Amino acid sequence: MKLLLVKLSSLGDVVHTFPALTDAASRVPGLTVDWAVEEAFAPVARLHPAVRRTITVPLRRMLRRPFAALSGGEAGRVRGALAAEPYDLVIDGQGLMKSAAVATLARGPRHGFDKASAREGLASLLYGARHHVPEVEHMAVRLRKLFAAALGYRLGDLPADTGLRPASGGAPYLVFLHGTTWPTKTWTLDGWRALAGLAGEAGVEVRLFAHGAEERARAEAIAAGQDNVRLLPPQGLEGLAPQIAGAAGVVTVDTGLGHLAAAYGVPTVGLYGPTNPVLTGLFGPRVVELKARRDCAPCEKARCRIAPATIEGPPCLSDISAAEVWQALGRLSAAA
Protein backbone atom coordinates (compact mmCIF):
# COMPACT_ATOMS: atom_id res chain seq x y z
CA MET A 1 0.00 0.00 0.00
CA LYS A 2 1.19 3.49 -0.86
CA LEU A 3 0.29 6.29 1.54
CA LEU A 4 0.76 10.03 1.17
CA LEU A 5 0.84 11.91 4.47
CA VAL A 6 0.19 15.65 4.41
CA LYS A 7 1.56 17.33 7.54
CA LEU A 8 3.20 20.57 6.54
CA SER A 9 4.36 22.13 9.81
CA SER A 10 5.40 22.95 12.48
CA LEU A 11 8.37 21.09 13.93
CA GLY A 12 6.41 19.86 16.93
CA ASP A 13 3.44 18.86 14.77
CA VAL A 14 5.75 16.89 12.48
CA VAL A 15 7.32 15.02 15.40
CA HIS A 16 3.92 14.28 16.94
CA THR A 17 3.06 12.32 13.78
CA PHE A 18 5.88 9.82 14.31
CA PRO A 19 4.01 7.40 16.64
CA ALA A 20 1.16 7.12 14.10
CA LEU A 21 3.67 6.30 11.36
CA THR A 22 5.27 3.62 13.52
CA ASP A 23 1.83 2.11 14.19
CA ALA A 24 0.97 2.09 10.49
CA ALA A 25 4.28 0.51 9.49
CA SER A 26 3.75 -2.33 11.97
CA ARG A 27 0.06 -2.89 11.20
CA VAL A 28 0.08 -2.57 7.37
CA PRO A 29 2.49 -5.00 5.67
CA GLY A 30 4.44 -3.48 2.79
CA LEU A 31 3.38 0.07 3.58
CA THR A 32 5.18 2.78 1.61
CA VAL A 33 4.96 6.33 2.96
CA ASP A 34 5.62 9.63 1.21
CA TRP A 35 5.32 12.85 3.20
CA ALA A 36 4.29 16.28 1.92
CA VAL A 37 5.93 18.77 4.29
CA GLU A 38 7.21 22.33 4.42
CA GLU A 39 10.79 22.42 3.17
CA ALA A 40 12.14 23.69 6.51
CA PHE A 41 10.90 20.55 8.30
CA ALA A 42 11.71 17.95 5.63
CA PRO A 43 14.96 16.94 7.40
CA VAL A 44 12.93 16.03 10.49
CA ALA A 45 10.28 14.13 8.52
CA ARG A 46 13.04 12.08 6.92
CA LEU A 47 14.22 10.89 10.34
CA HIS A 48 11.35 8.43 10.62
CA PRO A 49 12.36 5.04 9.20
CA ALA A 50 8.97 4.45 7.55
CA VAL A 51 9.29 7.46 5.24
CA ARG A 52 10.36 6.63 1.70
CA ARG A 53 10.64 10.21 0.46
CA THR A 54 9.54 13.72 1.31
CA ILE A 55 7.75 16.04 -1.09
CA THR A 56 8.80 19.53 -0.08
CA VAL A 57 6.08 22.15 -0.20
CA PRO A 58 7.46 25.70 0.23
CA LEU A 59 3.98 26.97 1.00
CA ARG A 60 5.02 29.91 3.15
CA ARG A 61 7.29 31.30 0.45
CA MET A 62 4.72 30.63 -2.25
CA LEU A 63 2.01 32.45 -0.32
CA ARG A 64 4.31 35.42 0.29
CA ARG A 65 5.19 35.64 -3.41
CA PRO A 66 2.38 33.90 -5.31
CA PHE A 67 3.13 35.48 -8.70
CA ALA A 68 6.78 34.48 -8.49
CA ALA A 69 5.75 30.96 -7.54
CA LEU A 70 3.50 30.71 -10.57
CA SER A 71 5.76 32.40 -13.10
CA GLY A 72 8.91 30.69 -11.84
CA GLY A 73 7.42 27.23 -12.03
CA GLU A 74 7.65 26.43 -8.33
CA ALA A 75 3.90 25.88 -8.00
CA GLY A 76 3.99 23.58 -11.02
CA ARG A 77 6.84 21.58 -9.52
CA VAL A 78 4.92 20.99 -6.31
CA ARG A 79 1.75 20.07 -8.19
CA GLY A 80 3.68 17.68 -10.41
CA ALA A 81 5.44 16.00 -7.48
CA LEU A 82 2.17 15.42 -5.64
CA ALA A 83 0.43 14.01 -8.70
CA ALA A 84 3.40 12.02 -10.04
CA GLU A 85 2.01 8.68 -8.90
CA PRO A 86 -1.29 7.40 -7.53
CA TYR A 87 -1.70 6.65 -3.84
CA ASP A 88 -3.94 4.10 -2.20
CA LEU A 89 -4.64 6.63 0.53
CA VAL A 90 -3.95 10.29 1.32
CA ILE A 91 -4.14 11.36 4.97
CA ASP A 92 -4.22 15.02 5.94
CA GLY A 93 -2.95 14.95 9.50
CA GLN A 94 -3.14 18.70 10.00
CA GLY A 95 -6.78 19.61 9.46
CA LEU A 96 -6.20 23.08 8.02
CA MET A 97 -7.49 24.57 4.80
CA LYS A 98 -3.94 24.86 3.46
CA SER A 99 -3.09 21.23 4.19
CA ALA A 100 -6.42 20.02 2.80
CA ALA A 101 -5.79 22.04 -0.37
CA VAL A 102 -2.37 20.43 -0.77
CA ALA A 103 -3.97 16.99 -0.32
CA THR A 104 -6.36 17.67 -3.20
CA LEU A 105 -3.39 17.91 -5.58
CA ALA A 106 -2.51 14.25 -4.95
CA ARG A 107 -4.10 11.28 -6.68
CA GLY A 108 -5.84 9.08 -4.17
CA PRO A 109 -8.79 8.94 -1.74
CA ARG A 110 -8.44 11.60 0.94
CA HIS A 111 -8.96 11.04 4.66
CA GLY A 112 -8.86 13.52 7.53
CA PHE A 113 -10.52 14.76 10.70
CA ASP A 114 -14.24 15.50 10.55
CA LYS A 115 -15.67 18.99 10.92
CA ALA A 116 -15.86 18.76 14.71
CA SER A 117 -12.29 17.44 15.03
CA ALA A 118 -10.31 19.43 12.45
CA ARG A 119 -8.52 22.59 13.51
CA GLU A 120 -10.36 24.36 10.70
CA GLY A 121 -13.70 22.64 10.23
CA LEU A 122 -14.11 23.69 6.60
CA ALA A 123 -11.05 21.62 5.70
CA SER A 124 -13.12 18.47 6.22
CA LEU A 125 -15.20 19.33 3.14
CA LEU A 126 -12.19 18.42 0.99
CA TYR A 127 -11.90 14.86 2.32
CA GLY A 128 -13.69 11.85 0.96
CA ALA A 129 -13.64 10.16 4.36
CA ARG A 130 -13.90 12.03 7.65
CA HIS A 131 -13.02 10.63 11.06
CA HIS A 132 -14.22 11.86 14.44
CA VAL A 133 -11.25 12.19 16.79
CA PRO A 134 -12.20 14.83 19.40
CA GLU A 135 -9.61 17.33 20.61
CA VAL A 136 -9.55 15.98 24.15
CA GLU A 137 -6.25 14.07 24.02
CA HIS A 138 -2.69 14.80 23.05
CA MET A 139 -2.24 15.40 19.33
CA ALA A 140 0.07 12.40 19.01
CA VAL A 141 -2.69 10.17 20.40
CA ARG A 142 -5.29 11.71 18.10
CA LEU A 143 -3.07 11.12 15.09
CA ARG A 144 -2.60 7.49 16.08
CA LYS A 145 -6.39 7.12 16.14
CA LEU A 146 -6.80 8.95 12.82
CA PHE A 147 -4.30 6.67 11.08
CA ALA A 148 -5.92 3.57 12.57
CA ALA A 149 -9.35 4.63 11.37
CA ALA A 150 -8.13 5.61 7.90
CA LEU A 151 -6.01 2.49 7.36
CA GLY A 152 -8.45 0.10 8.98
CA TYR A 153 -6.54 -1.42 11.88
CA ARG A 154 -7.04 -1.55 15.63
CA LEU A 155 -4.57 0.06 17.98
CA GLY A 156 -5.48 -2.19 20.90
CA ASP A 157 -2.69 -2.10 23.45
CA LEU A 158 -0.01 -1.25 20.90
CA PRO A 159 2.48 0.96 22.78
CA ALA A 160 3.30 4.38 21.43
CA ASP A 161 6.64 4.36 19.61
CA THR A 162 8.14 7.37 17.86
CA GLY A 163 10.48 5.21 15.80
CA LEU A 164 13.52 7.17 17.02
CA ARG A 165 16.19 6.03 19.45
CA PRO A 166 18.78 8.00 21.44
CA ALA A 167 22.40 7.80 20.38
CA SER A 168 25.05 6.60 22.81
CA GLY A 169 28.78 6.86 23.28
CA GLY A 170 31.19 9.59 24.28
CA ALA A 171 31.24 11.79 27.34
CA PRO A 172 27.79 12.77 28.63
CA TYR A 173 26.53 16.26 27.93
CA LEU A 174 23.33 18.26 28.35
CA VAL A 175 21.55 20.41 25.79
CA PHE A 176 19.71 23.55 26.85
CA LEU A 177 17.04 24.67 24.36
CA HIS A 178 16.53 28.26 25.40
CA GLY A 179 15.22 29.82 22.18
CA THR A 180 11.52 30.25 21.49
CA THR A 181 9.09 32.48 19.60
CA TRP A 182 7.27 34.25 22.44
CA PRO A 183 8.93 36.40 25.14
CA THR A 184 6.52 34.80 27.63
CA LYS A 185 7.88 31.32 26.86
CA THR A 186 11.45 32.19 27.85
CA TRP A 187 13.05 31.20 31.12
CA THR A 188 15.19 33.67 33.05
CA LEU A 189 18.86 34.17 32.25
CA ASP A 190 19.60 33.67 35.96
CA GLY A 191 17.77 30.34 35.82
CA TRP A 192 19.79 29.09 32.84
CA ARG A 193 23.07 30.25 34.37
CA ALA A 194 22.30 28.61 37.70
CA LEU A 195 21.38 25.37 35.96
CA ALA A 196 24.59 25.46 33.94
CA GLY A 197 26.44 25.99 37.19
CA LEU A 198 24.87 22.89 38.72
CA ALA A 199 25.90 20.91 35.65
CA GLY A 200 29.43 22.30 35.99
CA GLU A 201 29.62 21.19 39.61
CA ALA A 202 28.67 17.69 38.42
CA GLY A 203 31.36 17.79 35.74
CA VAL A 204 28.87 17.77 32.85
CA GLU A 205 29.23 19.80 29.66
CA VAL A 206 26.33 21.94 28.48
CA ARG A 207 25.74 22.61 24.78
CA LEU A 208 23.75 25.57 23.48
CA PHE A 209 22.22 26.26 20.07
CA ALA A 210 21.42 29.75 18.85
CA HIS A 211 19.39 30.91 15.86
CA GLY A 212 19.70 34.60 15.17
CA ALA A 213 21.22 37.52 17.02
CA GLU A 214 18.82 37.51 19.98
CA GLU A 215 19.35 33.84 20.79
CA ARG A 216 23.08 34.21 20.25
CA ALA A 217 23.22 37.03 22.78
CA ARG A 218 21.31 34.95 25.32
CA ALA A 219 23.54 31.91 24.72
CA GLU A 220 26.67 34.00 25.20
CA ALA A 221 25.24 35.43 28.42
CA ILE A 222 24.48 31.93 29.72
CA ALA A 223 28.00 30.77 28.86
CA ALA A 224 29.84 33.80 30.25
CA GLY A 225 32.38 32.67 32.85
CA GLN A 226 31.23 29.04 32.77
CA ASP A 227 33.90 26.75 31.32
CA ASN A 228 31.55 23.78 30.97
CA VAL A 229 29.22 25.61 28.55
CA ARG A 230 29.86 25.20 24.84
CA LEU A 231 28.21 27.25 22.11
CA LEU A 232 27.68 25.27 18.93
CA PRO A 233 28.04 26.99 15.55
CA PRO A 234 24.89 27.84 13.56
CA GLN A 235 23.59 24.77 11.72
CA GLY A 236 20.46 23.29 10.23
CA LEU A 237 18.20 20.58 11.56
CA GLU A 238 20.40 17.91 10.00
CA GLY A 239 23.22 18.96 12.34
CA LEU A 240 21.09 19.66 15.39
CA ALA A 241 19.24 16.34 15.44
CA PRO A 242 22.33 14.18 16.16
CA GLN A 243 23.41 16.58 18.91
CA ILE A 244 20.02 16.17 20.58
CA ALA A 245 19.92 12.39 20.05
CA GLY A 246 23.30 11.99 21.74
CA ALA A 247 22.56 14.11 24.80
CA ALA A 248 22.37 12.69 28.31
CA GLY A 249 19.53 15.11 28.98
CA VAL A 250 17.71 18.11 27.52
CA VAL A 251 16.09 21.08 29.23
CA THR A 252 13.73 22.99 26.99
CA VAL A 253 11.23 25.78 26.93
CA ASP A 254 8.14 25.40 24.73
CA THR A 255 9.91 25.06 21.38
CA GLY A 256 9.96 22.60 18.50
CA LEU A 257 13.35 21.04 19.18
CA GLY A 258 12.14 20.01 22.62
CA HIS A 259 9.60 17.73 20.98
CA LEU A 260 12.38 16.13 18.95
CA ALA A 261 14.36 15.46 22.14
CA ALA A 262 11.33 13.81 23.72
CA ALA A 263 10.77 11.69 20.60
CA TYR A 264 14.36 10.44 20.73
CA GLY A 265 13.75 9.14 24.24
CA VAL A 266 16.35 11.47 25.73
CA PRO A 267 15.53 12.54 29.33
CA THR A 268 13.74 15.82 28.64
CA VAL A 269 12.50 18.45 31.09
CA GLY A 270 10.05 20.96 29.62
CA LEU A 271 9.38 24.37 31.15
CA TYR A 272 5.83 25.61 30.55
CA GLY A 273 4.41 28.97 31.57
CA PRO A 274 1.82 30.63 29.32
CA THR A 275 1.12 27.56 27.20
CA ASN A 276 -0.74 24.38 28.10
CA PRO A 277 1.16 21.14 27.36
CA VAL A 278 -1.84 18.86 27.81
CA LEU A 279 -2.78 18.67 24.11
CA THR A 280 0.50 19.54 22.40
CA GLY A 281 3.22 19.10 25.02
CA LEU A 282 6.20 16.77 25.09
CA PHE A 283 5.43 13.23 23.97
CA GLY A 284 7.95 10.52 24.71
CA PRO A 285 8.98 7.83 27.17
CA ARG A 286 11.22 9.99 29.39
CA VAL A 287 9.74 13.44 29.88
CA VAL A 288 8.81 15.71 32.77
CA GLU A 289 6.86 18.92 32.28
CA LEU A 290 7.31 21.60 34.94
CA LYS A 291 4.27 23.83 34.67
CA ALA A 292 3.59 27.30 36.04
CA ARG A 293 1.79 27.28 39.37
CA ARG A 294 0.13 30.68 39.13
CA ASP A 295 -3.63 31.04 38.74
CA CYS A 296 -3.20 33.11 35.58
CA ALA A 297 -1.36 30.31 33.77
CA PRO A 298 -1.74 29.07 31.16
CA CYS A 299 -2.83 32.34 29.58
CA GLU A 300 -1.82 31.48 25.98
CA LYS A 301 -0.55 35.04 25.55
CA ALA A 302 2.69 36.25 23.97
CA ARG A 303 2.68 39.29 26.30
CA CYS A 304 2.42 38.97 30.06
CA ARG A 305 -0.42 41.06 31.52
CA ILE A 306 1.16 40.99 35.00
CA ALA A 307 4.60 42.15 33.84
CA PRO A 308 4.07 43.45 30.28
CA ALA A 309 7.55 44.97 30.07
CA THR A 310 9.23 41.61 30.71
CA ILE A 311 11.57 40.57 27.91
CA GLU A 312 13.08 37.43 29.45
CA GLY A 313 11.34 35.10 31.90
CA PRO A 314 7.79 36.09 32.86
CA PRO A 315 6.81 35.65 36.53
CA CYS A 316 5.10 32.29 35.93
CA LEU A 317 8.34 30.79 34.61
CA SER A 318 10.57 32.70 37.03
CA ASP A 319 8.93 30.70 39.81
CA ILE A 320 10.61 27.53 38.51
CA SER A 321 14.05 27.26 40.11
CA ALA A 322 17.22 25.76 38.66
CA ALA A 323 17.33 23.33 41.59
CA GLU A 324 13.84 22.08 40.72
CA VAL A 325 14.85 21.54 37.09
CA TRP A 326 18.07 19.78 38.08
CA GLN A 327 16.22 17.44 40.41
CA ALA A 328 13.68 16.57 37.70
CA LEU A 329 16.48 15.84 35.26
CA GLY A 330 18.18 13.66 37.86
CA ARG A 331 15.02 11.64 38.46
CA LEU A 332 14.57 11.02 34.75
CA SER A 333 18.18 9.94 34.34
CA ALA A 334 18.04 7.63 37.36
CA ALA A 335 14.92 5.93 35.99
CA ALA A 336 16.68 4.91 32.76
Side-chain angles (χ1 to χ4, degrees):
M1 171 180 276
K2 287 193 299 183
L3 166 69
L4 175 68
L5 164 64
V6 179
K7 187 77 165 181
L8 303 174
S9 62
S10 58
L11 200 160
D13 288 341
V14 167
V15 173
H16 288 159
T17 314
F18 284 4
L21 280 176
T22 306
D23 294 340
S26 68
R27 288 291 200 248
V28 183
L31 182 68
T32 297
V33 181
D34 292 346
W35 191 331
V37 63
E38 276 273 5
E39 57 186 347
F41 307 114
V44 175
R46 286 193 287 267
L47 292 174
H48 196 282
V51 176
R52 176 182 69 164
R53 67 173 180 139
T54 56
I55 300 173
T56 57
V57 183
L59 195 60
R60 294 179 183 178
R61 185 171 68 246
M62 291 168 63
L63 291 175
R64 284 197 305 266
R65 303 180 61 190
F67 295 112
L70 290 170
S71 61
E74 193 164 43
R77 179 197 64 77
V78 172
R79 188 182 302 110
L82 289 166
E85 57 183 289
Y87 291 96
D88 297 297
L89 208 67
V90 178
I91 297 179
D92 175 12
Q94 199 144 20
L96 298 175
M97 286 301 299
K98 64 180 182 181
S99 58
V102 169
T104 64
L105 300 177
R107 291 191 287 156
R110 295 185 297 277
H111 289 242
F113 295 110
D114 69 4
K115 185 177 181 180
S117 308
R119 289 169 63 186
E120 294 178 356
L122 288 176
S124 66
L125 298 177
L126 299 180
Y127 311 139
R130 306 169 186 89
H131 304 281
H132 186 60
V133 190
E135 195 175 1
V136 295
E137 298 174 284
H138 194 283
M139 177 53 78
V141 176
R142 296 179 64 221
L143 285 165
R144 294 185 73 196
K145 292 183 175 181
L146 173 63
F147 272 58
L151 290 164
Y153 57 81
R154 293 178 59 84
L155 282 174
D157 57 356
L158 186 67
D161 183 354
T162 63
L164 304 185
R165 300 292 180 268
S168 59
Y173 61 89
L174 302 177
V175 170
F176 290 176
L177 299 175
H178 58 93
T180 186
T181 52
W182 292 3
T184 50
K185 291 182 184 181
T186 58
W187 197 31
T188 63
L189 179 59
D190 287 344
W192 286 119
R193 285 185 54 79
L195 188 61
L198 291 171
E201 291 172 8
V204 179
E205 180 184 273
V206 172
R207 298 182 185 180
L208 300 177
F209 307 140
H211 178 71
E214 184 176 331
E215 289 187 15
R216 183 74 184 180
R218 185 191 300 115
E220 290 174 348
I222 295 170
Q226 307 210 63
D227 294 338
N228 67 310
V229 181
R230 175 184 168 196
L231 275 65
L232 298 179
Q235 54 196 294
L237 287 170
E238 296 94 334
L240 297 180
Q243 295 282 346
I244 290 172
V250 171
V251 180
T252 179
V253 291
D254 186 3
T255 189
L257 287 172
H259 297 290
L260 185 59
Y264 268 119
V266 172
T268 304
V269 177
L271 309 180
Y272 285 85
T275 52
N276 189 346
V278 171
L279 299 180
T280 57
L282 301 175
F283 192 86
R286 302 168 71 188
V287 302
V288 168
E289 293 167 338
L290 300 181
K291 293 175 280 190
R293 297 179 284 269
R294 299 200 176 208
D295 293 339
C296 57
C299 65
E300 302 294 341
K301 300 294 184 183
R303 188 166 182 263
C304 179
R305 66 176 179 82
I306 295 176
T310 299
I311 298 175
E312 293 279 318
C316 62
L317 277 173
S318 300
D319 293 341
I320 300 174
S321 69
E324 186 179 355
V325 177
W326 185 253
Q327 290 166 6
L329 197 57
R331 289 194 300 272
L332 279 176
S333 301

